């Protein structure tokens, strides 16, 4: 790299890391603040569940389309629109307390915040170009956002109330705007040439969706999609029956929150170790190992719930392997998919992840209703480990 290009490259890296911090902060702060606000305005348990779940609906349906738009219009151009939405929409929450309006806001902000993370990941793939070290540092940045964001939002809620908490979320959206503005990369021209912006570009079309879905025929991409679904298992369980079970056996909300935070912090160490571990085991084999360990750690909760230190150790180990697997997946996608298809590949992956966030808790809840909550951990764990074993056999075909 020429000397005069080094400052620009460093600025681009810092901008990418900043986008990773703030986009992940928005998503995780909403996980804390929205349920608290729903309780404060008097919604019942069923309504709260629907409000919380609503934010994953549109991302599951439109993540692929969002990735296609990033490829066509430019990742940073789309990210800027998303960032503006993440800055404006949060301050509308304290103005209303009606269930229907909150559902609408959750649908819109859920889509914006999810696509923000997708755009940030796509941007990192463009800059990293398969470099596991750089992508590991980006993963560390996202972990910082997922840890600090909820703490700041929760503290703002406790000290100053709903307005302060949602303003903190809006400030994170403004952070995405600022990070995006620091980029030095050129943006691609808008399709159809100069003149008024063609609104038809924003509408989902079957042809590019078909091209995005066909990416799944690439063996390495198919591997990442299945691995992403399995990797998301521990997060989906953690945000649902993990909390319910620990609360039922006597753990306080503060202690449960501390366990979740422990896993996030441990993820930083895992991301930093990813490149070294990859050189020893290879990316596909290491991803399989990380997925299997994370499933065991979360699904063993009923067995170790009686020993706090065992729970802490499981959270640390799960956080390490989760943090390690994330940059590996980005690196594989970056290497196997052309630059102008990165957005579509990330959108396809995130659609699978959001689908997992809906399917896993639902299936586990049905099992818990029929056989008990403890049994649900063991059944879902055994099922996903069997799928992981099958994926390990498939991984041998990869380079």
């Amino acid at each position: 790299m020429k000397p005069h290009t080094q400052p620009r490259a460093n600025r681009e890296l810092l901008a990418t890391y900043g986008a990773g911090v703030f986009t992940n902060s928005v998503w995780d702060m909403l996980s804390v603040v929205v349920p608290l606000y729903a309780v404060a305005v008097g919604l019942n348990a069923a309504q709260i569940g629907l409000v919380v779940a609503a934010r994953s609906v549109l991302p599951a349906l439109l993540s692929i389309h969002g990735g296609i738009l990033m490829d066509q219009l430019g990742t940073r151009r789309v990210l800027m629109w998303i960032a503006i939405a993440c800055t404006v929409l949060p301050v509308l929450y304290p103005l209303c307390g009606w269930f229907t309006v909150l559902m609408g806001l959750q649908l819109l902000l859920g889509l914006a915040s999810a696509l923000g993370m997708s755009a940030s990941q796509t941007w990192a793939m463009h800059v990293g170009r398969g470099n596991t070290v750089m992508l590991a540092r980006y993963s560390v940045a996202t972990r910082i956002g997922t840890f600090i964001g909820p703490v700041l939002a929760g503290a703002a809620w406790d000290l100053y109330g709903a307005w302060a908490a949602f303003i903190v979320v809006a400030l994170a959206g403004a952070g995405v705007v600022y990070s995006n503005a620091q980029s030095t990369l050129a943006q691609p021209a808008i399709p159809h040439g100069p003149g008024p912006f063609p609104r038809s570009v924003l509408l989902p079309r079957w042809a590019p969706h078909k091209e995005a879905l066909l990416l799944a025929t690439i063996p390495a991409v198919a591997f990442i999609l299945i691995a992403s679904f399995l990797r998301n298992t521990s997060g989906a369980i953690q945000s649902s029956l993990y909390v319910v079970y620990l609360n039922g056996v006597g753990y306080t909300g503060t202690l449960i929150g501390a366990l979740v935070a422990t896993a996030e912090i441990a993820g930083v160490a895992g991301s930093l170790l990813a490149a070294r571990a990859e050189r020893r085991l290879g990316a596909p084999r290491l991803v399989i190992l990380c997925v299997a360990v994370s499933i065991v750690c979360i699904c063993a909760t009923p067995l170790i719930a009686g020993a706090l230190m065992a729970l802490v150790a499981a959270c640390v180990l799960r956080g390490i392997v989760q943090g390690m697997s994330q940059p590996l997946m980005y690196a594989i996608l970056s290497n196997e998919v052309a630059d102008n298809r990165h957005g579509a590949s990330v959108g396809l992956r995130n659609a699978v992840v959001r689908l997992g966030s809906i399917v896993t808790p639902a299936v586990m809840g049905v099992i818990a209703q029929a056989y008990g909550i403890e049994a649900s951990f063991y059944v879902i764990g055994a099922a996903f480990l069997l799928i992981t074993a099958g994926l390990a056999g498939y991984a041998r075909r990869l380079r």
Side-chain angles (χ1 to χ4, degrees), residues 276-292:
R276 185 181 303 175
E278 180 191 21
R279 288 193 291 270
R280 291 179 176 271
L281 295 178
R285 186 181 301 174
L286 186 55
V287 168
I288 291 291
L289 178 62
C290 290
V291 167

Side-chain angles (χ1 to χ4, degrees), residues 70 146 253 360 391:
M70 293 171 207
T146 58
T360 302
L391 185 62

Side-chain angles (χ1 to χ4, degrees), residues 108-136:
L108 293 174
L109 189 51
L111 178 62
S113 54
L115 290 182
M117 291 189 293
S118 295
S120 173
Q121 293 161 10
T122 305
W123 187 7
M125 287 171 59
H126 286 324
V127 176
R129 297 184 179 277
N131 185 329
T132 303
V133 174
M134 179 271 163
L135 292 170

Side-chain angles (χ1 to χ4, degrees), residues 320-331:
I320 289 174
V321 295
Q322 289 287 87
M324 190 178 294
S325 60
Q326 188 177 46
L328 295 173
M329 291 182 172
Y330 295 156

Side-chain angles (χ1 to χ4, degrees), residues 166-179:
F166 282 106
I167 286 174
V168 169
V169 180
L171 289 174
V176 182
V177 174
Y178 176 80
S179 298

